[in-house]
Amino acid sequence: MPDFLFRLFALICLVPVLSLGNVQAQPYQDAEFGVIPDSLFALSNPDDYPYTVTNKEMDISFWESDGGITAIIAQHVRLKVFDGDHPEASVVAVPYYFDNDMEQLVEISGTTYLPSGEQVPLREEDIRTININSRYNIKEFQMPAVEDGAVLEYRYVIHRRYIEELPDFHFSHRVPTLNAKATITYPRYLRYESVVENYDGEVDHSFSYTDTSSVPKIFTIPQPDPVVTERWIATDIPAVEEEAFTTSLDNYRGKIKFLLNAFGLPRQPLDTGWEVVVAQLRRNINPWSQIEQYDLAREKGDSIAQSISANGPGVVQDSIYHYLNERVNFSGNYVPHSTTPDSAVLAGEAADQAAINQTLLAMLRGAGIEAYPLLTSTRSSGEINREFPSFYQFNALAVYSNINGEEYIMDAGFPYSHPNLIPTEINNGEGLLLRKKSFEWVSMQTDESLFDIEIEINAQLAANGTLSGEVVSGQQGYPARLIRQQKANGNSEADILRQVLFDGYSQLQVTDAALNNSEVPGAPVELRARFEIPNYATSFSNGLEFPPMVVGYRRENPFGDTNRTLPVTLDAPERLKVSYSIALPQGASMGEGVQSRTLEFPGASFEESYDMENNLLNYDYAINISRQNFTVDQFDPLYQLYNRWVELSNSHWLIEQ
């Protein structure tokens, strides 16, 4: 789910008798819209949050009309504001799936209740509709007259035609939630299975049965079934705060998921596995249906293949990929299926990711290459949850191919990329490989989607502190792509070297800069140059203070502090190897020795190697983080690895003269 979906469910309602400073479990009381108890204005804020969700309620019922069934989803939100200047305390964004009239959002109303007793209603003209992509709109509004101590309340209703699953009900948000309640009032012919995820607190789950019949209670007269209402209540729910290097926060928020599991009269169990989802996908958003219409793309792929067929399918694939990659204009919109014609994509018109990759797929198949759609989810929407089958989890489309047993994942909308170098936005979890008559799951991680930098410096340190010498760097993956992009933007070799290796050195002088292999897609890019940094080492009476990490430095730990509650998901694996050979001034030597050491744990290592001669410093740093995902229990060694990197980057050695 995109980040704006999180904002929707981050604002919510209240129970009037609780103080955040002394919260105790009490019987749940529904919050009646428009009735605000005085005690709510005295609610305290011991944890320094800008607002708190005091009560969140979702009530679901069903309506039959025109032979169809619609879910009526009523949301009621109330919150207490402590910092009226904080935007999340007043701005509400409600997403809804408008494509094919799947959802309609109606009956929006709201009021700001001020401590003075004044009530300021939300005006209809302050509600605006914003198109996000071909599937989602949002209704956005800002609650009026928000100030410290105000109580905000709003409600809305969503009419949803797709009832096979219901929207997730989130317990936890970026701020504490005092009370949350979800109810489903069932018609006789359907039931849902519910699954609570990412929440260890107590959830009061119950059923109530209401007899609404006027039939006399005589055993000889058949009695209608009572109305069944299923209810979930949670209280005193802690905040789930955003941390560095995570996927979508929705992956970690406490929530209830709902999936239709029985339907009909009498009710029959439903098969809700991925086989059913794929069948729905083939009917509703099947990329194959559009690919089969891409005659122009297939012809172009065949033409390219015919011109270079003697070079083998790998070269043909690279040529087709780069032909398209150089011409497309990615709109920034990720979708799993597109009706944009291939002619528009090939003409360089703005196109979504699915249209671009459908065109790539048609070109590859036109060239006789075994290629398939690969449906996945973006990082900002969260990883695919295979335990909860739903085609609404897919919001992106890549391309998979197999050439002589070698697997490739591609996204031709990613500028200056090549096969197996995909955006970090889809370098995320798993994808569903959609064959013509079958499907399978594949990892979205590829060997070339990584940060890989190797640097070698041979230099001399002068007595006045000037450092000069030669640098050679080989870069692959995302760093190499960045260099290609900078070169295409007209930056000189010297400017590129300054940006990617020597950022922050205002006195740096570069000569003989050269860039190799930048025109060879997928090949390691080599940068080399001679450099000089005046006053690199600081002169003192007892010698020179020399920072050993000339390049490859990291000044701050990306995780901030040692507190961590969420798993770590890095953008990509990371490899950095830096080798130094520094000649010291005549008669100079290291004041204190340094020892080689290694930090190592599953998935990561940091090796330091030192070989100090009389006037020559030889030392290497090798950082290898070979995977993206680390559990909370593995965070501490990962933090210490980065911390050691920061320590070396900010350290100084004394060179005695």
Side-chain angles (χ1 to χ4, degrees):
M1 180 179 291
D3 190 64
F4 66 82
L5 300 187
F6 182 94
R7 291 178 57 208
L8 157 64
F9 296 110
L11 304 167
I12 335 265
C13 294
L14 155 81
V15 160
V17 294
L18 297 181
S19 167
L20 204 60
N22 185 23
V23 175
Q24 299 182 9
Q26 300 189 23
Y28 186 89
Q29 299 179 21
D30 290 344
E32 183 180 352
F33 189 81
V35 179
I36 308 298
D38 293 340
S39 58
L40 184 54
F41 291 99
L43 194 66
S44 61
N45 181 29
D47 296 321
D48 198 31
Y49 288 101
Y51 63 96
T52 189
V53 173
T54 58
N55 192 304
K56 174 180 183 177
E57 297 179 348
M58 180 178 75
D59 296 297
I60 301 176
S61 58
F62 298 87
W63 176 40
E64 298 177 61
S65 66
D66 301 327
I69 303 170
T70 300
I72 310 300
I73 305 166
Q75 300 273 6
H76 178 194
V77 172
R78 190 186 288 169
L79 58 93
K80 172 65 181 289
V81 176
F82 302 112
D83 180 2
D85 294 329
H86 199 284
E88 280 193 8
S90 59
V91 177
V92 181
V94 183
Y96 62 100
Y97 198 108
F98 77 91
D99 186 33
N100 199 28
D101 285 332
M102 192 65 68
E103 291 182 337
Q104 295 179 339
L105 198 155
V106 298
E107 300 178 32
I108 300 174
S109 60
T111 304
T112 297
Y113 299 87
L114 301 177
S116 64
E118 182 183 359
Q119 300 180 18
V120 184
L122 175 67
R123 301 181 306 172
E124 185 174 351
E125 55 264 36
D126 292 333
I127 303 171
R128 61 176 183 154
T129 302
I130 302 172
N131 177 249
I132 299 301
N133 55 40
S134 61
R135 299 186 297 163
Y136 279 99
N137 282 343
I138 64 172
K139 294 284 188 182
E140 184 180 80
F141 55 89
Q142 183 167 6
M143 295 296 290
V146 176
E147 62 181 47
D148 295 2
V151 175
L152 311 184
E153 183 176 48
Y154 61 90
R155 64 182 176 184
Y156 58 89
V157 177
I158 291 178
H159 293 177
R160 181 181 175 98
R161 293 196 303 112
Y162 180 72
I163 65 167
E164 283 85 346
E165 62 183 276
L166 299 174
D168 295 346
F169 180 73
H170 288 91
F171 292 137
S172 52
H173 307 274
R174 285 192 174 99
V175 299
T177 302
L178 296 186
N179 293 271
K181 183 189 76 168
T183 62
I184 301 178
T185 300
Y186 289 111
R188 291 186 302 156
Y189 50 77
L190 62 79
R191 293 291 186 270
Y192 285 88
E193 176 186 2
S194 65
V195 178
V196 176
E197 292 187 347
N198 304 326
Y199 186 66
D200 297 328
E202 182 179 353
V203 177
D204 180 5
H205 181 203
S206 63
F207 290 85
S208 65
Y209 303 85
T210 305
D211 184 2
T212 60
S213 171
S214 60
V215 176
K217 302 299 185 288
I218 301 173
F219 70 90
T220 58
I221 300 177
Q223 301 292 314
D225 293 337
V227 175
V228 178
T229 299
E230 190 171 8
R231 185 178 76 164
W232 301 260
I233 292 175
T235 60
D236 306 339
I237 304 155
V240 177
E241 300 185 54
E242 198 158 7
E243 298 177 341
F245 296 105
T246 60
T247 59
S248 169
L249 212 56
D250 279 347
N251 285 337
Y252 314 110
R253 297 170 64 198
K255 57 178 164 292
I256 308 174
K257 302 182 78 69
F258 307 94
L259 189 64
L260 187 66
N261 73 340
F263 189 82
L265 287 176
R267 290 190 303 275
Q268 300 295 320
L270 295 178
D271 182 359
T272 56
W274 280 106
E275 290 77 8
V276 175
V277 170
V278 170
Q280 292 174 328
L281 188 151
R282 293 185 191 278
R283 290 194 304 268
N284 300 323
I285 57 168
N286 189 355
W288 283 113
S289 62
Q290 195 69 24
I291 292 163
E292 290 170 357
Q293 300 177 35
Y294 281 7
D295 295 333
L296 181 63
R298 281 197 302 275
E299 291 171 3
K300 190 62 186 178
D302 178 58
S303 173
I304 293 173
Q306 292 296 329
S307 66
I308 57 172
S309 58
N311 295 311
V315 175
V316 171
Q317 176 173 269
D318 286 346
S319 298
I320 289 173
Y321 185 92
H322 294 295
Y323 175 90
L324 185 62
N325 186 246
E326 292 170 357
R327 287 164 173 77
V328 298
N329 179 12
F330 178 42
S331 66
N333 189 11
Y334 287 93
V335 290
H337 171 260
S338 178
T339 58
T340 301
D342 55 350
S343 57
V345 175
L346 291 166
E349 297 179 18
D352 55 57
Q353 185 215 30
I356 292 170
N357 286 328
Q358 287 170 180
T359 302
L360 172 63
L361 210 156
M363 293 177 70
L364 292 173
R365 295 187 74 85
I369 292 173
E370 182 185 354
Y372 301 95
L374 183 58
L375 291 150
T376 189
S377 174
T378 58
R379 179 182 294 259
S380 55
S381 294
E383 294 183 6
I384 300 294
N385 181 354
R386 288 177 60 182
E387 301 301 316
F388 197 84
S390 168
F391 74 82
Y392 281 96
Q393 293 193 65
F394 301 115
N395 75 329
L397 179 73
V399 174
Y400 169 94
S401 73
N402 188 307
I403 299 176
N404 299 325
E406 184 78 19
E407 296 180 311
Y408 299 89
I409 296 177
M410 293 167 276
D411 182 356
F414 190 35
Y416 307 101
S417 64
H418 54 82
N420 273 345
L421 178 60
I422 61 176
T424 57
E425 183 65 7
I426 63 169
N427 184 12
N428 180 52
E430 294 180 303
L432 186 143
L433 175 61
L434 187 66
R435 301 182 187 276
K436 289 289 186 71
K437 295 183 179 180
S438 64
F439 70 92
E440 64 182 273
W441 293 97
V442 299
S443 171
M444 292 301 296
Q445 297 174 350
T446 69
D447 291 341
E448 296 182 45
S449 295
L450 80 169
F451 298 92
D452 189 352
I453 301 175
E454 188 166 342
I455 309 170
E456 183 177 336
I457 284 187
N458 290 281
Q460 301 79 40
L461 180 65
N464 64 359
T466 295
L467 183 69
S468 60
E470 183 181 26
V471 60
V472 179
S473 176
Q475 309 207 14
Q476 298 187 74
Y478 297 115
R481 173 190 170 270
L482 177 61
I483 290 172
R484 289 188 171 97
Q485 185 171 21
Q486 291 175 327
K487 179 65 174 174
N489 290 340
N491 292 333
S492 68
E493 286 83 353
D495 286 341
I496 293 173
L497 184 129
R498 287 188 178 92
Q499 294 175 44
V500 301
L501 294 181
F502 291 97
D503 183 39
Y505 291 104
S506 59
Q507 295 181 298
L508 175 71
Q509 300 171 19
V510 176
T511 58
D512 301 329
L515 176 60
N516 300 317
N517 292 334
S518 65
E519 304 299 326
V520 183
V525 172
E526 184 190 75
L527 271 172
R528 62 170 59 240
R530 294 201 59 79
F531 71 93
E532 181 175 300
I533 308 174
N535 303 312
Y536 179 76
T538 304
S539 179
F540 292 93
S541 59
N542 57 343
L544 294 171
E545 196 172 71
F546 172 76
M549 192 77 86
V550 183
V551 294
Y553 42 79
R554 182 179 284 276
R555 301 303 185 195
E556 297 180 351
N557 195 313
F559 294 105
D561 57 39
T562 57
N563 297 320
R564 188 78 186 188
T565 61
L566 302 179
V568 174
T569 301
L570 301 176
D571 289 339
E574 187 166 2
R575 292 202 295 259
L576 172 67
K577 183 176 181 181
V578 189
S579 300
Y580 298 97
S581 181
I582 310 294
L584 301 180
Q586 186 68 32
S589 62
M590 275 283 293
E592 297 180 3
V594 287
Q595 300 296 320
S596 299
R597 59 183 289 187
T598 299
L599 292 173
E600 188 172 12
F601 60 96
S605 64
F606 189 164
E607 298 180 21
E608 305 171 37
S609 176
Y610 302 96
D611 180 14
M612 306 302 190
E613 301 177 6
N614 287 335
N615 69 332
L616 190 64
L617 307 181
N618 296 310
Y619 54 102
D620 304 290
Y621 300 126
I623 299 166
N624 184 12
I625 303 173
S626 60
R627 67 189 206 206
Q628 287 179 265
N629 300 307
F630 295 87
T631 66
V632 174
D633 291 339
Q634 295 168 324
F635 170 69
D636 184 65
L638 184 65
Y639 180 89
Q640 296 306 325
L641 184 151
Y642 276 98
N643 222 39
R644 179 57 181 164
W645 191 350
V646 172
E647 287 175 0
L648 288 168
S649 299
N650 294 316
S651 66
H652 294 80
W653 292 345
L654 179 63
I655 308 299
E656 295 180 344
Q657 291 182 295

